[in-house]
Amino acid sequence: MRREEFPILTTQVHGQPLVYLDNAATSQKPQMVVDAIVEGYTHWNSNIHRGTHYLSQQATIRHEQARQQIADFIHASSAREIIFTKGTTDAINMLAFSFGEAFISQGDEIIVSALEHHSNIVPWQMLCERKQATLRVIPLKEDLTLDTEAYASMLNARTRLVSVAHVSNVLGIRQPVEEMIRLAHQQQIPVCIDAAQSVPHMPIDVRQMDCDFLVFSGHKMYGPTGMGVLYGKEAWLNRLPPYQGGGEMIQHVRWEGTTYNELPYKFEAGTPNFIGSYALSKAIEYMTDIGLEKIAKEEGLLAQYAEAQLLEKIPGIKIYAEKQEKIGAISFNMYQEGRLIHPFDIGTLLDQQGVAVRTGHHCAEPLIDSLGVPGTVRVSFGLYNDREDIDRLIRALQRTISMLS
Ligand code: PMP
């Protein structure tokens, strides 16, 4: 049983067995990932690269093997295209700085969408402010999908980059990124995909997708925190300047000037999280052993079941992007006699019944503002969730309604 491989899932919360439905914020870790961290510090902890001694070589081998495993996992052409970061946010900030230094000047335009996470908004806003460029926002249609016609008309000779989420962390719906990339490429505009909410749930093939950059976080895919990835096509990464200076990213340092290391090290200043990269490679092994197609199928069926149960059994529920295919997450609100029950109250009462969900703006304030509510309740799934979890959620929501009425 998969569930038993995740030690934290045996936790009791307020005297009840935990139902963990907050996977979009962070997922739990299988024993083999926890073991990998312990193993690293117990057996081969040592700073990597240029080490002549045994432990350093052991750590280096594992770190670079992890990079290759990640490259294979997303079907990158080479491990040189995998830059280790602290997470999605760090990766986007790195790209915004570096790409911005090389390619953005006054009057240029960058495109994001109306449903982005703050980490795919604010770094671009900061860049636009620095360079007096303009951030343009793809609007949403009534059904909360992106207005792709509006997007097509926004692409122009001043557009320098498009950066959009593959799957919305609030709505759980997938964006037509392949078509968006194709349209951008017709005008030689590169595209960055925020895959934080897709990599944990489906197979990813960056070459098939043809994105120029793709970012994701280890902690949302059963791996460790403080570990993420910036994938970039080698041709693009070679054209970008380093983000931070320091050790590892240099070839030679002279008072007259410094020459930079080759890819991927040019973007990896300082001692990297080599225990984290190893643990992330174990998370990837765990997911790959189950099979990404299988994970996608099972979670898809679970999301369908959850949405059907919510609609059938919870009076006054409003599901956002209702009846559209959900990947990993469903957001909703509940109304009693036409009045909104504050999502925070629902989250608190669910917690008392052992059910962990997230409430609020989910770091996507512009999207939540456009829904005209203070927040939503979001249930989000991982590969250990099952129908029993959904049934517990439904019973807890029914109890919540009766407590509030
Ligand atoms: N983008 C999306 C779509 C996300 O869901 C998240 C995390 N909620 C992030 C970016 C930021 O990820 P991190 O906090 O791991 O940097």
Side-chain angles (χ1 to χ4, degrees), residues 24 87-89 117 119 169 194 196-197 217 219-220:
T88 305
T89 306
H117 187 280
S119 64
N169 68 308
D194 174 353
Q197 297 296 345
S217 296
H219 69 95
K220 293 182 197 285

Side-chain angles (χ1 to χ4, degrees), residues 273-343:
N273 183 359
F274 48 83
I275 304 277
S277 61
Y278 178 66
L280 179 55
S281 77
K282 291 292 158 192
I284 287 176
E285 261 175 56
Y286 182 82
M287 292 174 75
T288 314
D289 281 351
I290 297 172
L292 271 293
E293 296 282 359
K294 190 167 178 214
I295 293 171
K297 189 161 172 236
E298 287 178 2
E299 289 185 356
L301 289 172
L302 191 68
Q304 271 177 26
Y305 176 73
E307 181 158 344
Q309 290 291 301
L310 286 166
L311 286 170
E312 187 191 320
K313 306 229 164 102
I314 305 301
I317 193 160
K318 156 111 188 106
I319 293 184
Y320 296 96
E322 188 183 317
K323 304 254 164 77
Q324 291 179 51
E325 185 195 2
K326 304 292 187 310
I327 295 163
I330 301 178
S331 257
F332 61 86
N333 266 308
M334 281 161 45
Y335 292 82
Q336 254 177 352
E337 289 158 15
R339 280 216 321 273
L340 176 79
I341 308 176
H342 201 287

